[in-house]
Amino acid sequence: MDGLFGLDVATWDIILAVITALIKAFVIVNGLLLAFAYMTLTERKVLGRMQARFGPNRVGPFGLLQPIADGIKLAFKEDVTPRQANFWVHMLAPMMALIPALIIFAVIPLGPEMRILGQPWTWYVAKINVGYLYATAIASVGVYGLVLAGWASNSKYALLGGLRASAQVISYELAQGLAAMTALVLAGSLNLYEIVNQQVSSGLPYALYLPFGLIAFVIYVIAGVAETNRSPFDMAEAEGELGAGFHTEYSGFKWSMFFMAEYVNMINISALATVLFLGGWWPIPTDAPGLIQGLGPIVFLIKIGAFMFMFIWLRATFPRLRFDRLMALGWKVLLPIALVNLLLTSAVVALWPLGVWPFAQ
Amino acid sequence: MVMLEDTRTESGRMVLNMGPQHPSTHGVLRLMLELEGENVTQCIPDMGYLHTGIEKMSEARNYHQALVLTDRIDYLAPITNNLSYIMACEKLFDVGDKVPERAQVVRVILSELTRIASHLIWLGTHALDLGAMTVFMYCWREREQVLDIMENISGVRMMTSFMRIGGLVADVPDDFAGLVVDFVRVMPRKIDEYETLLSRNPIFIDRTRGVGVITRDGALEYGFSGSCLRASGVEFDVRVNLPYCGYETYDFDVAWSKEGDVYARYMVRMREMRESVRIIDQGTKRLLALKGAAIRLDDPRITFPKREKIHSSMESLIHHFKLVSEGPVPLPGEAYAAVESPRGEQATYIMSDGSNMPHRVRFRGPSFYNLQVLQHTISGGLIADVVACIGSIDIVLGEIDR
């Protein structure tokens, strides 16, 4: 059968898929940036409440327009590049931080594959077989933004901040990767959709696979907080010590790109932790009837929200770790535990009699 | 002045100027740090960015006028500065032991309130330097209550200048005691609140235990005083060892500790706040018992005549005019008076040549002496220890530079 404009159906399918992906990507990127904007408001509000004050409540009802006012202010602020800075690197660094943060979300499956009005519909942009590898690889690129920003600013504080950021992220990536490996071993797949599916069909998210899953989950979250340079691991900024760390010499829109990258990274880490350990849209079954399936993304977003709240709560409660202690925690505590945990998990998965172990392939 | 050479190329060390504009140097202290990676190999503090010339200005004012300058020395504890200056003046006029008891009680209450307010700022900023921002907000909340009390008595929240030679400028309002009682009731609970956030927090202990250790001998050699000295194992408190304003009649313990590290200084100050609450509690009871008593010494050399007398008697009018235009005139001599300010032994030395203005005024700012040890405790630590050390010795630059 001929399709429209003389193109056959198969070609139309491809064009349609590309268009859908583009629309999804557009929605996700803008959704992330919107989430970032309101995340800043939520953080200020929640922090305010935790600290016996109100937080922003002047702009719009309940201060709801505050992020927009902030955004306009930042966009129109003078953008200063220090004369001694390396202009191109100084300009590219914020982009290198932000763009990887935005594209990680492509592989996050927000909900089960379903049919809307008879048409197949997916809640992700891409279903890649090496989804987790894609996410970590892209996340590692983001660190270059911080390091290069610290180096290109030609400021001592920024340099120290950049050095701290690189050392910290590299150290914690190991523990984080090993913790995530536990979930990957349990699932037997690197495909994020498959990982969630495994947990949903077995009825138990990996965080509840005691004790290995829980240990891996805790390590993953700690390392995740460190990865995103959030308090109490905010070494790279450490405003009490380094002024503003790696972004000391940034202002205006370039600075806000770092700001966005930090928050979008928090969302990414939360989403990955939800996928790997909290079972994505669990307890909504993947093959539930249409309307219930539609609840999947909502459950997923609630879990991300819980993580974000935890990020804020940590910031309100804890003092900052000292840099040497941070490295010691990463290398001497988290990494060995994650490694042993992974070995034991692998051993159990390999040795358990087939069939009894619900999640073995 | 000693400067550090930037020797990056040869030794791989970097010189970092921390301050005078830096969030953690508590004002305008400048530290020249020589860094090897994250480690501090050398530290030279540089001060003088907040020099106000208060000592010199005091020498060009009469004894009543110079009082308002003393508020600005240690701007976090104006009351204790007032008190040491006023006590030195009282010694000069030889009326030190004739100050009415009600005035003494109010002086003690205000001093202790100031100590709590100042310690709250120290705690808040110290915790903020270490990254714990919530404690900062909580401390500000309670300090607000102290400032409200100050506003209640004098109309000014910080620079009250409430003391006068021989007593107080006026009696405290009737609701003063009530406000203080309210404060005394809530404060212990609030201190518990701060302690739950910090005292047993593993990260906080990690940041402070064994950091910035000052030995007993070192503390004595550098002329330490106040909480820093007591945290290094010397049980010395001006309120107990050289009592003034009737402190010897109050029941309180001197908080001290042996370790001499940042955590010890933290614990000493937290306990000091609790002891201050105890003293204020006793003071309020005495204040209520002394209701209506005199608050100012009646000595024609220093005290203004009563307002109605100025209107009715020529001699009183002349007396008032002389006291306002010329000021009180002491005999030649010198006087030294020390109080326990929140930071240590805050003292005033006045030398009189028999004229209406002092020949020489000198203020002993405890922060100045406490700061000297910084370069020795910081060297060998990490950058993060630098801010912990600065925070823990609780410096006020206004007092250091004067």
Side-chain angles (χ1 to χ4, degrees), chain B residues 62 64-65 302 304-305 307 310 317-328 356:
Chain B
N62 73 36
H64 278 324
Q65 286 172 330
I302 39 183
F304 293 142
R307 172 61 58 179
I310 300 175
L317 184 62
I318 295 170
H319 181 196
H320 183 257
F321 179 74
K322 288 280 279 179
L323 268 184
V324 169
S325 57
E326 189 187 19
N356 63 339

Side-chain angles (χ1 to χ4, degrees), chain A:
Chain A
M1 198 182 95
D2 279 354
L4 290 166
F5 305 123
L7 297 170
D8 59 18
V9 176
T11 318
W12 268 113
D13 278 352
I14 293 172
I15 292 174
L16 206 65
V18 169
I19 291 173
T20 323
L22 281 176
I23 291 174
K24 276 183 189 167
F26 183 79
V27 169
I28 283 181
V29 167
N30 284 287
L32 280 175
L33 292 181
L34 193 73
F36 145 74
Y38 278 88
M39 184 61 202
T40 59
L41 180 68
T42 318
E43 170 158 37
R44 290 166 70 182
K45 283 256 181 203
V46 174
L47 265 187
R49 288 293 169 177
M50 286 177 175
Q51 298 171 347
R53 57 193 175 89
F54 288 103
N57 61 357
R58 298 288 108 178
V59 191
F62 309 107
L64 281 175
L65 300 179
Q66 183 72 39
I68 296 164
D70 287 345
I72 293 171
K73 184 205 86 171
L74 283 170
F76 285 101
K77 222 175 156 182
E78 186 186 0
D79 181 30
V80 182
T81 308
R83 196 172 295 165
Q84 298 291 314
N86 185 321
F87 179 80
W88 286 106
V89 183
H90 189 265
M91 192 178 75
L92 286 174
M95 303 178 195
M96 289 190 73
L98 179 60
I99 294 172
L102 287 175
I103 60 181
I104 289 177
F105 218 82
V107 291
I108 305 283
L110 278 176
E113 286 169 354
M114 55 194 285
R115 300 189 83 81
I116 292 177
L117 306 173
Q119 296 296 314
W121 175 257
T122 55
W123 293 97
Y124 47 77
V125 179
K127 183 176 176 181
I128 314 178
N129 278 337
V130 289
Y132 179 74
L133 276 187
Y134 167 84
T136 36
I138 299 290
S140 315
V141 176
V143 190
Y144 282 100
L146 275 55
V147 180
L148 290 178
W151 175 79
S153 300
N154 206 351
S155 150
K156 290 172 181 174
Y157 285 117
L159 181 67
L160 283 170
L163 284 175
R164 282 180 173 194
S166 53
Q168 175 181 344
V169 174
I170 290 168
S171 315
Y172 276 79
E173 243 170 25
L174 293 169
Q176 194 189 21
L178 287 173
M181 285 278 280
T182 310
L184 303 178
V185 165
L186 288 171
S189 169
L190 281 170
N191 187 326
L192 297 183
Y193 188 83
E194 284 307 314
I195 294 171
V196 176
N197 225 350
Q198 292 270 355
Q199 299 175 64
V200 175
S201 54
S202 73
L204 209 58
Y206 290 146
L208 297 181
Y209 278 71
L210 298 172
F212 308 123
L214 188 63
I215 295 172
F217 174 60
V218 171
I219 292 175
Y220 190 88
V221 170
I222 295 175
V225 177
E227 278 272 305
T228 48
N229 283 320
R230 285 284 298 183
S231 177
F233 304 104
D234 53 345
M235 292 302 123
E237 293 180 39
E239 79 269 353
E241 297 155 29
L242 300 182
F246 66 92
H247 58 57
T248 308
E249 302 293 343
Y250 280 89
S251 59
F253 200 72
K254 285 189 211 156
W255 177 82
S256 63
M257 281 164 90
F258 281 120
F259 196 42
M260 286 181 214
E262 179 183 332
Y263 281 80
V264 175
N265 271 327
M266 281 158 66
I267 297 174
N268 290 334
I269 291 285
S270 310
L272 278 172
T274 309
V275 165
L276 292 172
F277 294 100
L278 295 187
W281 52 87
W282 177 87
I284 307 286
T286 307
D287 48 4
L291 271 178
I292 299 178
Q293 265 185 329
L295 292 174
I298 297 172
V299 173
F300 198 103
L301 292 180
I302 289 173
K303 288 177 184 173
I304 292 184
F307 271 106
M308 301 307 262
F309 183 78
M310 181 205 71
F311 275 111
I312 300 174
W313 197 358
L314 284 177
R315 183 172 173 200
T317 311
F318 284 114
R320 185 181 306 116
L321 254 78
R322 207 169 68 184
F323 187 64
D324 59 333
R325 294 294 181 166
L326 177 91
M327 299 306 273
L329 178 70
W331 289 99
K332 295 182 188 161
V333 181
L334 295 185
L335 185 64
I337 295 178
L339 199 57
V340 171
N341 192 41
L342 175 63
L343 278 175
L344 291 177
T345 317
S346 315
V348 169
V349 170
L351 298 177
W352 202 275
L354 286 176
V356 180
W357 194 235
F359 44 86
Q361 292 286 311

